[in-house]
Amino acid sequence: MISKFTKVKKIKINTYAVFNSLTMQLVFLNHKELKLLIKEKFDQLNNINKLKEFGIVINDQNDDEIAFDKLRTAIINHSKKIRIMYLILTTNCNLACKYCFVENNPNNTKCREIMTEETCTIAISKFLNEVKNCIDEAQIIFYGGEPLINNNLLSKAIKMIRNYSQSLKVTVLTNGTLLTKEICEFFKNNNVGVGLSLDGPKKINDKNRIFKYSNESVYNVVKDKIKLLNETNCPYCVSATATKAVVNHGHKVLKDFKELGINNVFWNLFHFSKQDSHADKFYKKMSKFILKSYDRLNKLNIKEGRILDHINLFIDNIFKFQSCGAVGLNQITVQPNGDVCICQGDQRSKDNVCGNINISSIPDILNNPINDKWNHMYTIQNQECQNCEALFVCGGGCPLQALVLEGDQQKLDKTSCIFYKKLVDWLIKKCYKVYISEVKNDNS
């Protein structure tokens, strides 16, 4: 019988991609072969063994249940395995970006705090102890606010981490405006990755990214800081939010990235901070832009991280369980006073505090009953997701956006569904091009 997870995508006339949404292994069939498959005339199909191997054709319903149970078991083994820690060195920021999902979080208390050295040291020590057996898979992310406002503590924290491990991934997410040559060299010498926020040319970037206390151009300042990063060979990636202005003027944005000498870009899906009746329409347009930009950026010798990550998972045939570390409790976020929440977007909310790093162990924090909701946000636990063709590549959307648009963090972020469904179509078509190329090479 045909698996209930079998999906069909038309590639072109007389060519169809057939796959199991749990395994995402593809078989390409012509119209005649597809018709035989649908009518379950398996004895007339030449590639029936391949269809069985990929789970497209199964012996009985138990095969589907067994495959699905493997994913359920994987979730149990996957959840509450801490791998990421966000350290909020300060909630202060010198910018007032209009789309900031931290500032615009409905639960934001608008508090302003700065972390002490004692709290930072305790947090790092406890995290390193938890990940000592998987140090190469772990990551500490310095976040804010703007972490460079507390640069003295940031430098001490990085030195402490590097005294313990040279391989643990360390990232500083910054708006870039406070970077200096000395800071860039320090980051380079200590193998620290920089995530630099920029949305494109001056007119586009400065529409949303503005200084809090001056009218100076953020773009002009960041442009000079990118020169410093390039001159010092400091590793960095531009974190660009796909706003409406970016999507509408994509060619200008990509051109500007090239002119600035940027080699790595990561697209952030735009997150709505309030109800918007045009959200679906925009996500369709945004998705099309992001996917098209991958090839355009490639031609400019610029890597795009979001799509590249999905391509690698697709090639390695790895099921994507989550789109962020919060789902499944693989991360914690430590606020300046030591209070811990799970999602970095909840850093200003007192409602989601699940412990304090100064007095609580990380296992106790993760096991706090207030966090149970994060263990029930996996896509395969959602009835709406289980029959979706994008199940393998999705990982779910953003719980914060679900809170804004659907009124509940545990509901499906339906706008993100638009992106991931278009992504799976794009990946399949890319795969077909590779397949055709290999067939031609074999024939020649």
Side-chain angles (χ1 to χ4, degrees):
M1 62 186 296
I2 299 174
S3 166
K4 68 179 180 180
F5 297 109
T6 293
K7 309 296 177 186
V8 178
K9 288 283 181 183
K10 186 174 182 179
I11 303 295
K12 61 178 186 177
I13 295 175
N14 200 34
T15 304
Y16 302 84
V18 183
F19 60 97
N20 181 305
S21 60
L22 298 184
T23 65
M24 209 59 223
Q25 292 176 295
L26 300 171
V27 174
F28 296 104
L29 304 179
N30 59 36
H31 182 73
K32 181 181 178 181
E33 291 168 329
L34 179 63
K35 201 170 180 180
L36 290 172
L37 176 66
I38 293 172
K39 291 184 177 181
E40 298 191 346
K41 294 183 177 181
F42 303 133
D43 58 328
Q44 297 181 40
L45 286 166
N46 294 327
N47 53 356
I48 184 61
N49 290 332
K50 185 66 70 176
L51 294 170
K52 287 181 178 180
E53 179 187 344
F54 289 174
I56 294 166
V57 173
I58 58 177
N59 292 319
D60 53 50
Q61 291 180 351
N62 286 335
D63 287 352
D64 274 344
E65 292 304 315
I66 291 170
F68 201 71
D69 282 342
K70 285 183 179 179
L71 290 178
R72 289 196 186 102
T73 301
I75 279 181
I76 296 171
N77 296 329
H78 185 269
S79 63
K80 295 188 180 180
K81 298 292 190 299
I82 190 74
R83 293 292 182 269
I84 303 169
M85 179 171 69
Y86 282 85
L87 279 178
I88 313 299
L89 297 188
T90 176
T91 54
N92 293 317
C93 188
N94 59 334
L95 298 190
C97 301
K98 296 176 183 179
Y99 56 64
C100 179
F101 77 97
V102 172
E103 287 289 343
N104 293 318
N105 185 330
N107 296 323
N108 193 351
T109 58
K110 305 290 183 183
C111 60
R112 294 291 180 268
E113 298 175 303
I114 193 162
M115 184 175 282
T116 65
E117 185 175 343
E118 180 184 10
T119 295
C120 186
T121 301
I122 291 171
I124 292 173
S125 297
K126 289 185 176 181
F127 180 77
L128 292 176
N129 184 60
E130 287 298 315
V131 301
K132 59 187 177 185
N133 295 323
C134 56
I135 198 78
D136 293 338
E137 301 173 20
Q139 180 179 16
I140 291 179
I141 301 172
F142 291 98
Y143 200 64
E146 171 49 52
L148 287 177
I149 288 176
N150 197 0
N151 185 53
N152 185 46
L153 179 57
L154 174 61
S155 299
K156 290 179 180 179
I158 291 170
K159 289 177 182 177
M160 177 184 175
I161 295 167
R162 286 298 172 240
N163 284 336
Y164 180 89
S165 169
Q166 291 295 317
S167 61
L168 185 139
K169 187 176 181 181
V170 179
T171 304
V172 177
L173 298 182
T174 173
N175 59 44
T177 58
L178 301 178
L179 286 170
T180 64
K181 184 177 181 180
E182 291 72 26
I183 292 174
C184 293
E185 288 176 341
F186 176 78
F187 287 162
K188 180 196 173 186
N189 293 335
N190 287 278
N191 192 25
V192 174
V194 176
L196 179 71
S197 299
L198 185 73
D199 293 343
K202 180 178 178 178
K203 187 174 181 180
I204 295 172
N205 184 79
D206 290 355
K207 183 176 182 179
N208 289 297
R209 304 188 61 78
I210 57 177
F211 279 106
K212 192 174 285 184
Y213 304 114
S214 81
N215 293 321
E216 188 177 6
S217 165
V218 171
Y219 175 83
N220 287 346
V221 174
V222 174
K223 181 179 179 181
D224 290 338
K225 305 303 182 181
I226 289 175
K227 289 180 182 178
L228 286 179
L229 289 166
N230 288 335
E231 288 170 1
T232 57
N233 290 316
C234 179
Y236 73 97
C237 174
V238 165
S239 177
T241 300
T243 64
K244 293 179 181 179
V246 168
V247 172
N248 289 335
H249 303 280
H251 63 290
K252 293 181 181 179
V253 174
L254 304 191
K255 181 181 178 183
D256 189 67
F257 287 161
K258 181 63 177 177
E259 290 175 351
L260 290 174
I262 295 167
N263 295 318
N264 289 285
V265 173
F266 188 95
W267 289 120
N268 296 310
L269 304 185
F270 180 81
H271 285 166
F272 288 92
S273 57
K274 59 183 179 180
Q275 287 284 340
D276 192 315
S277 59
H278 301 293
D280 287 2
K281 182 178 180 181
F282 171 70
Y283 254 67
K284 289 176 183 176
K285 190 172 183 180
M286 179 196 70
S287 302
K288 184 177 180 180
F289 162 73
I290 290 176
L291 293 169
K292 277 193 171 183
S293 74
Y294 180 83
D295 289 326
R296 293 172 181 171
L297 287 167
N298 239 352
K299 291 178 181 178
L300 298 173
N301 293 317
I302 300 174
K303 293 181 181 178
E304 196 290 301
R306 174 178 288 278
I307 303 303
L308 185 59
D309 287 347
H310 281 284
I311 289 173
N312 289 333
L313 289 173
F314 187 84
I315 291 172
D316 295 336
N317 202 235
I318 298 173
F319 188 96
K320 189 171 179 64
F321 284 103
Q322 83 250 76
S323 291
C324 76
V327 174
L329 298 170
N330 296 143
Q331 73 175 43
I332 59 171
T333 299
V334 182
Q335 301 173 22
N337 66 356
D339 282 347
V340 177
C341 58
I342 301 303
C343 172
Q344 70 272 22
D346 281 336
Q347 60 172 276
R348 310 269 181 92
S349 169
K350 296 191 180 299
D351 294 337
N352 293 306
V353 172
C354 51
N356 188 288
I357 202 69
N358 292 302
I359 57 176
S360 308
S361 70
I362 290 179
D364 284 346
I365 289 169
L366 295 177
N367 287 318
N368 188 323
I370 195 176
N371 292 328
D372 288 348
K373 61 185 178 184
W374 296 104
N375 261 335
H376 299 285
M377 293 182 185
Y378 288 106
T379 51
I380 66 169
Q381 294 170 319
N382 191 319
Q383 290 292 332
E384 292 182 79
C385 299
Q386 289 177 13
N387 197 43
C388 177
E389 69 267 22
L391 181 62
F392 186 90
V393 304
C394 173
C398 174
L400 275 185
Q401 184 156 253
L403 175 63
V404 170
L405 298 180
E406 308 295 333
D408 187 342
Q409 276 186 313
Q410 292 182 262
K411 286 190 176 181
L412 185 63
D413 174 15
K414 294 180 180 178
T415 46
S416 290
C417 295
I418 295 169
F419 172 76
Y420 290 112
K421 286 179 179 178
K422 288 190 178 297
L423 172 64
V424 77
D425 285 346
W426 185 87
L427 287 169
I428 288 171
K429 288 175 181 176
K430 284 285 182 185
C431 192
Y432 179 70
K433 287 182 180 180
V434 173
Y435 167 75
I436 288 298
S437 176
E438 289 177 349
V439 169
K440 287 181 178 178
N441 288 337
D442 289 343
N443 290 338
S444 62

